[in-house]
């Protein structure tokens, strides 16, 4: 009787510990919980607006923190939503996670940064945890073994995360994270994070992966099946404009243009920028002035698609 009892007690203890870790990571305090809340907020505000044509901006943090949906909306005269998420969620999970919000007449603007364009299988470190957090475990065709490992880890807080949360509680009275700041009713960030360290120029060391080409092509088909239109753009990146980076970006642009219309990019620099004063805390995030310039560029590129929808609606 003693050994089975001991094993049963251990299993109960382990289950309680995992449950507490899950609550922290997914629902309150962990970075994943703030990412989940941001996603749910953005999807909820987009769902509330009924309009013949909307623009949905999709991508990682290079879409999230480098665009002003409000400024683009002012330029186009139709509702625009910033549904940008987090690059490490991965292309396989980012795309299907927003697909349910796509409606007939929508224009889906995908702005994928190089992190997700160069990845070979579309699954990165936050792919599995994010799918679990939003109640869709396995989203993105996650292999069973990887899903099982993810389920275990999502109930295991990191020491670094717990330490930060403890310090936050002591100093601020609440737990915070990178994505814990409020977002507007168009999904735009309300807080600008500024880089503390020295700048160095990002490098694009390889062209787009075959998997990314296939996955974006599939996404275009899914978007069109819903009666919507997919449009692509290259992100702004503070990066090296040496030959290797330019050559790889040229290849990326050429492949993307085969999939869907590619707008708002410089055909010489491919949006690789040499002025760090436009950028916020990372090579892919923009300061408010940079977002306004980018918004005007995107609004101009999107105008023909908006006009086409208006003409068809008459």
């Amino acid at each position: 009787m003693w050994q089975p009892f001991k094993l049963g007690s251990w299993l109960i203890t382990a289950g309680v510990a995992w449950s507490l870790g899950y609550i922290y990571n997914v629902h309150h305090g962990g970075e994943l919980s703030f990412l989940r809340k941001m996603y749910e907020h953005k999807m909820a505000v987009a769902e509330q607006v009924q309009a013949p044509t909307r623009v949905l901006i999709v991508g990682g943090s290079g879409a999230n923190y480098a665009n002003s949906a409000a400024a683009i909306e002012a330029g186009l005269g139709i509702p625009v939503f910033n549904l940008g998420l987090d690059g490490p969620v991965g292309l396989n999970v980012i795309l299907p996670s927003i697909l349910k919000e796509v409606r007939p007449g929508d224009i889906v603007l995908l702005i994928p940064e190089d992190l997700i364009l160069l990845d070979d299988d579309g699954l990165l470190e936050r792919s599995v945890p994010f799918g679990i957090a939003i109640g869709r475990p396995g989203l993105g065709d996650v292999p069973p073994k990887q899903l099982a490992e993810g389920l275990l880890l999502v109930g295991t807080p990191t020491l670094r995360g717990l330490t930060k949360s403890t310090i936050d509680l002591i100093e601020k009275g609440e737990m915070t994270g990178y994505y814990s700041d409020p977002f507007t009713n168009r999904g735009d960030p309300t807080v600008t994070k500024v880089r503390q360290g020295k700048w160095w120029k990002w490098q694009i060391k390889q062209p787009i992966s075959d998997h990314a080409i296939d996955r974006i092509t599939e996404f275009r088909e899914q978007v069109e099946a819903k009666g919507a239109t997919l449009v692509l753009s290259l992100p702004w990146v503070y990066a090296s404009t040496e030959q290797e980076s330019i050559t790889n970006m040229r290849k990326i642009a050429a492949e993307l243009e085969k999939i869907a219309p590619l707008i708002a990019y410089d055909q010489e620099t491919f949006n690789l920028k040499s002025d760090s004063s436009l950028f916020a805390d990372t090579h892919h995030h923009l300061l408010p002035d940079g977002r306004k310039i980018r918004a005007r560029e995107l609004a101009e590129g999107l105008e023909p698609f908006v006009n086409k929808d208006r003409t068809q609606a008459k």
Side-chain angles (χ1 to χ4, degrees):
M1 291 287 295
W2 181 80
Q3 286 186 340
F5 177 76
K6 184 177 181 180
L7 177 61
S9 299
W10 182 89
L11 290 173
I12 292 172
T13 302
V16 170
W18 183 90
S19 298
L20 291 174
Y22 177 87
I23 292 170
Y24 167 79
N25 279 331
V26 175
H27 292 284
H28 189 69
E31 191 62 61
L32 181 61
S33 71
F34 298 121
L35 181 58
R36 174 190 61 79
K37 290 174 184 176
M38 178 188 76
Y39 165 79
E40 291 177 348
H41 166 76
K42 291 189 174 200
M43 296 295 281
V45 296
E47 184 180 10
Q48 291 171 4
V49 175
Q50 303 295 324
T53 301
R54 305 174 304 166
V55 175
L56 307 179
I57 303 172
V58 181
S61 65
N64 195 2
Y65 288 103
N67 290 285
S68 170
I72 298 172
E73 180 172 314
L76 293 176
I78 62 171
V80 179
F81 297 93
N82 184 346
L83 301 186
L85 293 174
D86 177 53
V89 171
L91 199 60
N92 272 28
V93 178
I94 290 174
L95 300 184
S97 72
I98 66 91
L99 193 59
K100 67 179 183 179
E101 185 50 39
V102 178
R103 301 175 193 160
D106 283 347
I107 299 168
V108 180
L109 175 61
L110 173 60
I111 310 176
E113 60 257 46
D114 52 283
L115 171 68
I116 55 181
L117 285 177
L118 309 186
D119 185 56
D120 287 329
D121 66 0
L123 299 172
L124 294 168
E125 61 264 32
R126 286 184 175 165
S127 298
V128 178
F130 181 76
I132 295 170
I134 65 172
R136 300 175 68 183
L139 183 65
D141 298 323
V142 176
K145 181 180 179 182
Q146 194 171 346
L147 177 59
E149 292 172 349
L151 283 168
L152 178 63
L153 291 175
V154 83
T156 310
T158 64
L159 179 60
R160 180 179 179 180
L162 289 171
T163 301
K164 181 187 181 305
S165 294
T166 301
I167 294 173
D168 280 347
L169 283 172
I170 294 171
E171 296 182 348
K172 305 175 183 179
E174 62 179 352
M175 289 181 276
T176 64
Y178 193 87
Y179 292 106
S180 63
D181 296 316
F183 286 79
T184 70
N185 64 354
R186 286 300 183 261
D188 290 331
T190 60
V191 175
T192 300
K193 298 173 173 63
V194 180
R195 190 175 185 86
Q196 302 301 320
K198 293 182 179 180
W199 282 105
W200 51 273
K201 290 187 175 180
W202 196 260
Q203 292 182 313
I204 312 298
K205 296 185 177 181
Q206 63 190 80
I208 187 172
S209 70
D210 290 340
H211 176 83
I213 293 171
D214 293 342
R215 188 62 192 85
I216 296 173
T217 300
E218 181 185 5
F219 183 61
R220 185 206 69 214
E221 294 168 353
Q222 293 169 329
V223 167
E224 290 177 349
K226 285 177 165 279
T229 301
L230 178 66
V231 179
L232 306 174
S233 185
L234 300 176
W236 282 18
V237 186
Y238 177 61
S240 168
T241 54
E242 295 179 354
Q243 192 59 47
E244 180 185 36
S245 291
I246 291 293
T247 297
N248 285 324
M249 286 303 299
R250 182 180 292 110
K251 292 177 180 177
I252 288 172
E255 292 297 338
L256 291 178
E257 283 182 317
K258 295 176 184 177
I259 301 172
L262 186 65
I263 67 166
Y265 76 98
D266 187 293
Q267 295 187 14
E268 293 185 1
T269 66
F270 299 94
N271 288 359
L272 301 183
K273 303 296 181 179
S274 56
D275 183 4
S276 64
S277 68
L278 295 167
F279 291 82
D281 58 331
T282 81
H283 296 73
H284 297 78
H285 300 173
L286 295 175
L287 292 171
D289 286 345
R291 292 177 200 165
K292 290 177 183 177
I293 298 170
R294 177 65 166 151
R296 289 196 295 269
E297 182 181 87
L298 287 168
E300 183 179 339
L302 288 166
E303 186 67 37
F305 300 94
V306 175
N307 289 338
K308 180 181 177 180
D309 281 352
R310 285 171 176 159
T311 301
Q312 291 176 343
K314 290 180 180 179

